[in-house]
Amino acid sequence: MATPNTPLWEVFIRSRNGLAHKHVGSLHASDATMALQAARDIYTRRGEGLSIWVVPSTAITASDPADKGMMFEPAESKIYRHPTFYEVPEEVGHM
Amino acid sequence: MYTQALNTAETDDRGLEDAAKAAQFQARIDAEERIEPNDWMPAAYRKTLTRQISQHAHSEIVGMLPEGNWITRAPSLRRKAALLAKVQDECGHGLYLYAAAETLGTSREELVDAMLAGKAKYSSIFNYPTLTWADIGTIGWLVDGAAIMNQIPLCRCSYGPYARAMIRVCKEESFHQRQGYEIMLTLCHGSDEQKAMAQDALNRWWWPVLMMFGPPDATSQHSDTSSKWKIKRFSNDELRQKFVDATVPQAQYLGLTIPDPGMVQDADGHWRYSEIDWTEFKQVLAGNGPCNRDRMAARRKAHDEGVWVRDAAAAYAAKRAQRRTAQAAE
């Protein structure tokens, strides 16, 4: 039997204390241990990270770009959710 | 998160190519929007990018061979560590690029197989031999210099995953050029023999490096659509001219002579180079360069000798998955 294609993993790296893990790219590996080692070699050769997450790509559920109008429309009409919507007299100072 | 795993659920409407979608796509490109893997795109855009990104990835991987040739013979531990780090970077760049290419729907295995079968190309430059240590300096200085010139505009390419991969690559690549120039500088400040070695390497690499930018604009097949789609932002000749203008003063500083007696500086400051021997370029692309057969043989050998590792890793992962299923069932 032919060897199956090696699974794909998504790599997330936390670059500094206090920051969130951020998606940096993807890689192929047979299992989670090898994925972590490969992520170290491919994405942190210059001290880019303090922590790595690897997630099987198949485990991610993504929103459909075709739905983005409908999906994000509710947020677009609500300008009163932003601080600049409210008027505060200049004399009051920074708020 | 740009994976084929996500793409499989998409309806494949590539064959339909309706004009309204194509116009909408072009409008997004014109508005400088980035195209992402699950967005609709014309089949030709997908095909062009798959070819370009995978070719770029193959070049990074094959590019490890000429330099790897000198790792064990580097003249000092400092040079050896730097060269090893550079070759590792090239491997990393290849992997970022394969991942970007895969988001268009072709697996890495298929892309690699196409290269090993001789169906996909890699950059002509890696079919030249590295005869002396000065070649390692010249490759860093000129080959990586030319690559940077070509890659910086690609950071703004219309295809998101390719642009992002290029940003990472460009960040890492500037060390490559500097380490190469430093090698050249050291040789040029050395003995007469060392300086002659540097000049000899420049003589051999200069013309092949100019060919890296591809055929002249008048004869280039892919440029028109690539510019329209903002995959390519500068023409081959524009990039080549930029490279020459940047490189001439660097060569002068080293005290080296560019092997082009016809080269003159225009009133506008641009250095005009002589006619390039495009027959040589075509010969190398056709597989008849000095090292084409060696490079392909080395890649095939590495791939074949790695089969057992890939098989073992897959078997181990399957065994573990089976055990987990069995435990869960207890």
Side-chain angles (χ1 to χ4, degrees), chain B residues 212-233:
Chain B
M212 279 176 74
F213 294 93
D217 295 350
T219 63
S220 181
Q221 300 167 16
H222 308 301
S223 282
D224 286 350
T225 41
S226 288
S227 325
K228 189 182 83 178
W229 284 331
K230 301 202 174 161
I231 295 171
K232 205 174 163 72
R233 293 188 178 255

Side-chain angles (χ1 to χ4, degrees), chain B residues 235-252:
Chain B
S235 75
N236 294 352
D237 285 336
E238 282 169 338
L239 288 170
R240 188 163 20 239
Q241 187 61 54
K242 266 190 178 190
F243 172 77
V244 170
D245 290 341
T247 306
V248 171
Q250 294 165 357
Q252 287 171 338

Side-chain angles (χ1 to χ4, degrees), chain A residues 3-6 8 10 12 23-24 26 28 30-31 34 42-43 45-46 48 57-58 60 62 64-65 68, chain B residues 1 3-6 38-39 88-89 92 95-96 99 102 107-109 168 172 175 310-311 313-314 316-317:
Chain A
T3 308
N5 284 1
T6 313
L8 195 60
E10 299 303 322
F12 299 81
H23 182 248
V24 293
S26 40
H28 289 273
S30 304
D31 60 35
M34 291 182 80
I42 299 172
Y43 291 104
R45 286 195 304 281
R46 288 173 175 77
E48 290 92 336
S57 301
T58 47
I60 291 174
D64 187 340
K68 75 176 174 230
Chain B
M1 31 218 86
T3 67
Q4 318 108 295
L6 299 174
N38 290 346
D39 294 345
Q88 278 181 316
D89 273 357
L95 295 178
Y96 308 153
E102 280 187 302
S107 72
R108 184 174 76 184
E109 283 82 353
R168 291 190 69 87
E172 297 179 354
F175 126 64
R310 294 190 293 277
D311 286 348
Y316 181 68

Side-chain angles (χ1 to χ4, degrees), chain B residues 70-328:
Chain B
W70 280 89
I71 292 174
T72 55
R73 293 179 285 164
S76 69
L77 184 59
R78 179 180 184 273
R79 297 284 185 215
K80 184 174 183 163
L83 183 57
L84 193 57
K86 180 178 188 292
V87 173
Q88 278 181 316
D89 273 357
E90 307 298 2
C91 177
H93 297 172
L95 295 178
Y96 308 153
L97 286 160
Y98 280 126
E102 280 187 302
T103 64
L104 293 158
T106 311
S107 72
R108 184 174 76 184
E109 283 82 353
E110 287 172 82
L111 297 171
V112 170
D113 285 348
M115 202 277 279
L116 296 176
K119 283 185 263 175
K121 297 214 182 304
Y122 55 87
S123 177
S124 58
I125 196 73
F126 301 118
N127 290 314
Y128 290 87
T130 42
L131 303 179
T132 72
W133 174 249
D135 291 36
I136 299 304
T138 311
I139 288 180
W141 171 36
L142 298 180
V143 175
D144 289 286
I148 292 170
M149 214 49 107
N150 184 42
Q151 284 165 354
I152 286 175
L154 286 174
C155 296
R156 294 185 295 127
C157 160
S158 62
Y159 190 57
Y162 193 25
R164 289 191 285 277
M166 279 297 105
I167 291 170
R168 291 190 69 87
V169 168
C170 285
K171 264 190 204 160
E172 297 179 354
E173 201 92 53
S174 79
F175 126 64
H176 298 180
Q177 195 185 11
R178 291 170 65 106
Q179 69 92 35
Y181 195 72
E182 196 196 77
I183 291 173
M184 295 307 273
L185 204 55
T186 308
L187 288 171
C188 291
H189 287 163
S191 65
D192 288 347
E193 287 86 349
Q194 285 169 324
K195 190 162 182 186
M197 195 194 268
Q199 181 64 56
D200 167 65
L202 175 60
N203 292 349
R204 283 181 289 109
W205 287 91
W206 176 253
W207 293 106
V209 165
L210 290 194
M211 293 173 201
M212 279 176 74
F213 294 93
D217 295 350
T219 63
S220 181
Q221 300 167 16
H222 308 301
S223 282
D224 286 350
T225 41
S226 288
S227 325
K228 189 182 83 178
W229 284 331
K230 301 202 174 161
I231 295 171
K232 205 174 163 72
R233 293 188 178 255
F234 295 98
S235 75
N236 294 352
D237 285 336
E238 282 169 338
L239 288 170
R240 188 163 20 239
Q241 187 61 54
K242 266 190 178 190
F243 172 77
V244 170
D245 290 341
T247 306
V248 171
Q250 294 165 357
Q252 287 171 338
Y253 186 85
L254 292 172
L256 296 178
T257 310
I258 288 180
D260 179 1
M263 188 178 256
V264 282
Q265 194 173 23
D266 272 0
D268 57 5
H270 292 300
W271 289 92
R272 299 293 166 205
Y273 47 89
S274 307
E275 187 68 28
I276 294 169
D277 177 10
W278 293 109
T279 16
E280 177 179 328
F281 178 70
K282 281 180 201 136
Q283 279 298 313
V284 176
L285 277 193
N288 303 320
C291 300
N292 294 56
R293 271 172 283 268
D294 274 5
R295 301 299 184 228
M296 289 303 289
R299 284 309 308 141
R300 288 185 185 127
K301 179 166 179 273
H303 192 76
D304 293 346
E305 290 180 353
V307 169
W308 73 269
V309 180
R310 294 190 293 277
D311 286 348
Y316 181 68
K319 186 183 83 179
R320 299 265 302 205
Q322 208 172 20
R323 192 178 297 168
R324 270 196 305 276
T325 321
Q327 276 168 352

